[in-house]
């Protein structure tokens, strides 16, 4: 997972990802925490050990926190819309 989060007022503090596992259940991961940055470029790999089954892991949501403790959730549909919007601007 990689991306850019921007918050010039309160600064980005953390990025949290929830994946839906192919066998049911969820996989939660802090992608970046304690960042305190106006523009946060984040990139993180999620190694899947032998306890995880192969298959498609779908995005449940991506949560962004800022230093003022505000939170916003981007669900699968939101991320798809952002991706289409950003590709149209390129």
């Amino acid at each position: 997972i990689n991306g850019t989060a921007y918050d010039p007022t309160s600064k980005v503090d953390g990025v949290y990802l929830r994946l839906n596992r192919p066998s049911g259940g969820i996989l939660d991961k802090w992608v970046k925490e304690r960042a305190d940055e106006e523009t946060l470029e984040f990139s993180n790999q999620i190694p899947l050990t032998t306890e995880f089954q192969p298959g498609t892991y779908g995005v449940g949501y991506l949560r962004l926190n800022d230093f003022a403790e505000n939170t916003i959730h981007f669900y699968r549909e939101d991320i798809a819309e952002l991706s289409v919007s950003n590709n149209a601007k390129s």
Side-chain angles (χ1 to χ4, degrees):
I1 178 173
N2 57 52
T4 303
Y6 177 68
D7 187 341
T9 305
S10 298
K11 297 185 179 177
V12 181
D13 190 45
V15 179
Y16 187 83
L17 176 66
R18 170 164 286 170
L19 295 175
N20 298 319
R21 297 167 58 172
S23 59
I26 55 175
L27 172 62
D28 289 334
K29 170 80 173 161
W30 277 103
V31 176
K32 184 73 174 180
E33 57 184 322
R34 307 281 186 234
D36 193 21
E37 296 181 30
E38 184 176 302
T39 301
L40 175 65
E41 298 281 341
F42 59 90
S43 181
N44 196 308
Q45 293 185 3
I46 303 172
L48 299 177
T49 62
T50 55
E51 71 181 272
F52 296 104
Q53 294 180 341
T56 301
Y57 287 73
V59 173
Y61 65 81
L62 182 71
R63 183 180 80 206
L64 302 172
N65 301 331
D66 69 12
F67 203 69
E69 299 183 10
N70 297 307
T71 300
I72 187 168
H73 290 80
F74 291 98
Y75 295 91
R76 180 186 347 243
E77 299 80 18
D78 301 324
I79 294 169
E81 287 178 26
L82 287 171
S83 180
V84 168
S85 174
N86 285 334
N87 288 335
K89 292 178 185 176
S90 298

